[in-house]
Every structure is written in C-alpha cells, then in structure tokens.
C-alpha cells in the first residue's frame, strides 16, 4: 500500500532580500552568488514562525486536495528552525487548521520532508491512517549568521505541504544517513546549566561548503539511480526531477551525470534560495500549480544535507 498526492501547497513570506541587498551587508556580489550558487533573491520572514508558514502552506494543500482538516488522520512536519521544540510545528499546525488527529515533527535537516513522507507511508501500511498532511517548514533566517557571507547568501524561509491519501502512487524510496557528521552543523541552545562544562557554540548554521557539495553531487546521482531501479523504471521514464534546491551547480552536475536534460529538473532556487526541508515540497507545489505536471506523470524527488543525510523517492502523480 502506498499513497496518492491529493493536494499540494506552499507559502513564502512577502519580504524579498536580493543579492544587491546582501552586498550592502557583507562582502559579496550578485555576480558571485549567481555564478557559484544560482540564487538571485530569497524570502525572509519578518514576523512569522516556521509553524505559521507551515499552517499557511497546509491550508493551501488542504484546499487543493478538497479534504477538510477533520478528515486528516495525522500531521507530520519536518523542520530544523521552529521557534519552539515543544509544542511541535505539526502541533501548532493542528491547532491553527482545526484538526484533531495526532501530530509530530521529524528532523532530518534538508532531507526531512522525504523522511516525513516515508514515515507517513508506514502509518498507512499499518492501517493507522488514510489521509496524512506532510509538511516541510523553515525559518532559516533565524539561524543564519547574517555576518557570514559563506552561508547568509544561500538560505531562505518558506513552507510546503502535501495532503496524501491511500493509493498506488509511491513507487520507491531510499533514506540514507551518515550519522553524526558535522560538516553541516546547527548547534542547539546550549542551556544555562551550572553543571555543564562542555563547549557552547552559537546556534547558527555552519557548513563546510565544498565537502557538502561533493556529498550532494554523489548522493543526488546515486540515490536517483537507485530509486529508479527499485521502481522498475529507467531514467527516461521520469518526467520531472524535483531536487533539493541547494545549489544550481549541483543540479547541473546531476543533469550531466544522469544524462537527464536540464529541462526535466524543476529549479526555483533563484527565487527562494535553499529552504532546507521546505525546498522539495515548495518546488513540487510550484510545479503542480504551474499546470505543467499532469496526473500520471512520474516524478523523482531527492534531497541531501545535514546529518549527513539524503533521501529520494519516485512517485506517480
Ligand atoms: O542544503 C544542505 C546542502 N547544502 C549544499 O549542498 C551546499 C553545497 N555547497 C555549496 O553550494 C558551495 O560550496 C557554496 C555555495 C557553499 C560555496 O561555494 P564554493 O564555490 O564552494 O566556494 P568556496 O567556499 O570554495 O569559496 C571560494 C571563494 C573563497 O575565497 P578565497 O578563499 O578563494 O579567496 C570564499 O571566501 O569564495 C569566497 N566566498 C565568497 N565570495 C563572495 C565565499 N562566499 C562568498 C560570497 N561572496 N558570498
């Protein structure tokens, strides 16, 4: 048993921060950011939390699915930038949309949304749920060091959501972690315990860019090959690839190595930057809204990032 995507939706905050805006804050330029990353602008939340954006995306996904909140059997949210560890993002969403089902968060950094989708499938297979809301939501501007040009030009805020119901559209998946690897590290609040004698790091995103880049290119290629094979398909059967929007050069490498034309990759990093766990559901929802995606299309989704982690899946829309 698997699922069918009934509805999708995304939300990004109104405030646009361009590369030229950032050039006034740190030593960078539109030229460098476009060439090395592919981001032109990103959205930044002024007053909304990750949960607020998650709820806004969820409302849109519910509206596009035709289901009401009371029909949901579960809400699963992925986030690394919620305001509160408790209540969870999913719990806030439950309250805001008026649902009464169980809700909880998962954390697998940028791969979190696909981990959450795969978790949702397990509940469906056990017969515990028919309709599940799955969300990726991030307010990364909260954990970005705005004086660090190597990270502040990359990230953005936003949320994306899917409403899924029991069906036959989840063809294969793969989850991967190389646990405890700190080439991407986001320290949590260290606390004020008078008994703790360890290191206290500021709660910002630290990323060794080139190491992460190599990991990303290798995983995007090997994960897509693996899920395609597992689904009994060939690469040519894939209509669209919706990758994590981390760097347009990663997508270019993947296109060349997989021999998949660039047009099959959905790319919106220039508009929103890297929104971590929100990037795949935002990109998928935008593709669906564009009208280009047709029912029955085969779509590969893939993500990679902190953990280290990576995830990929193939769905029939
Ligand atoms: O979402 C999680 C997964 N994340 C990823 O997959 C990210 C993967 N990594 C990347 O996308 C890239 O490594 C970055 C975009 C993070 C960095 O690009 P890079 O081409 O690897 O640059 P670099 O770190 O090797 O830096 C090259 C130069 C350095 O200057 P020197 O030492 O050569 O003089 C940096 O100081 O570029 C400099 N630099 C910048 N210059 C202008 C770094 N950031 C900037 C900047 N503006 N914003």
């Amino acid at each position: 048993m698997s699922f069918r995507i009934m509805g999708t939706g995304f939300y990004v905050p109104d405030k646009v921060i361009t590369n030229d805006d950032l050039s006034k804050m740190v030593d960078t330029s539109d030229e460098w950011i476009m060439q090395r990353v592919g981001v032109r602008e990103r959205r930044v939340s002024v007053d909304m939390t990750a949960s607020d954006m998650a709820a806004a995306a969820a409302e849109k996904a519910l509206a596009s699915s035709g289901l009401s909140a009371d029909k949901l059997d579960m809400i699963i949210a992925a986030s690394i930038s919620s305001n509160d560890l408790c209540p969870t993002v999913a719990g806030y969403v439950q309250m805001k949309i008026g649902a009464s089902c169980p809700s909880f968060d998962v954390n697998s950094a940028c791969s979190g949304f696909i981990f959450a989708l795969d978790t949702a499938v397990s509940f469906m297979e056990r017969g515990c749920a028919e309709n599940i809301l799955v969300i990726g939501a991030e307010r990364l501007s909260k954990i970005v060091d705005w004086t660090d040009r190597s990270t502040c030009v990359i990230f953005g805020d936003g949320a994306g959501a899917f409403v899924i119901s029991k069906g036959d559209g989840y063809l294969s998946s793969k989850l991967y972690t190389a646990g405890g690897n700190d080439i991407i590290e986001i320290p949590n609040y260290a606390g004020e315990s008078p008994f703790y004698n360890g290191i206290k790091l500021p709660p910002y995103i630290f990323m060794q860019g080139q190491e992460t880049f190599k990991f990303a290119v290798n995983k995007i290629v090997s994960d897509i090959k693996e899920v395609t094979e597992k689904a009994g398909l060939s690469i040519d059967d894939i209509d669209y690839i919706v990758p994590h929007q981390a760097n347009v050069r990663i997508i270019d490498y993947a296109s060349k190595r997989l021999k998949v034309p660039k047009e099959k990759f959905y790319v919106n990093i220039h508009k929103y930057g890297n929104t971590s766990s929100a990037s795949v559901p935002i990109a998928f929802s935008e593709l669906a809204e564009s009208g280009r995606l047709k029912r029955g299309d085969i779509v590969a989704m893939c993500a990679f990032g902190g953990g280290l982690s990576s995830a990929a899946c193939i769905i029939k829309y």
Side-chain angles (χ1 to χ4, degrees), residues 78-80 106-115 138 140 143 155 175-187 204-209 211-213 215-216 219 223 244 246 250 274-277 279 302-311:
S79 185
I80 51 169
V106 301
N107 174 355
S108 194
C110 300
S111 314
F113 181 77
I114 299 177
F115 273 72
E138 303 289 1
L140 298 175
I143 52 170
F155 298 102
L175 307 180
Y176 170 86
T177 51
N181 188 313
D182 62 1
I183 66 172
I184 301 178
E185 190 178 10
I186 309 170
Y204 293 136
I205 302 174
F206 296 95
M207 182 167 70
Q208 294 174 35
E211 288 306 309
T212 310
F213 194 95
F215 170 76
K219 290 309 287 179
D223 284 357
H244 173 41
I250 293 172
N274 175 344
T275 55
S276 189
S277 72
S279 100
C302 59
F304 43 81
L308 294 170
S309 66
S310 75

Side-chain angles (χ1 to χ4, degrees), residues 32-43:
W32 191 94
I33 303 168
M34 277 306 287
Q35 269 179 12
R36 305 305 298 169
V37 201
V39 184
R40 175 81 67 198
E41 57 189 40
R42 68 288 293 142
R43 302 299 182 94

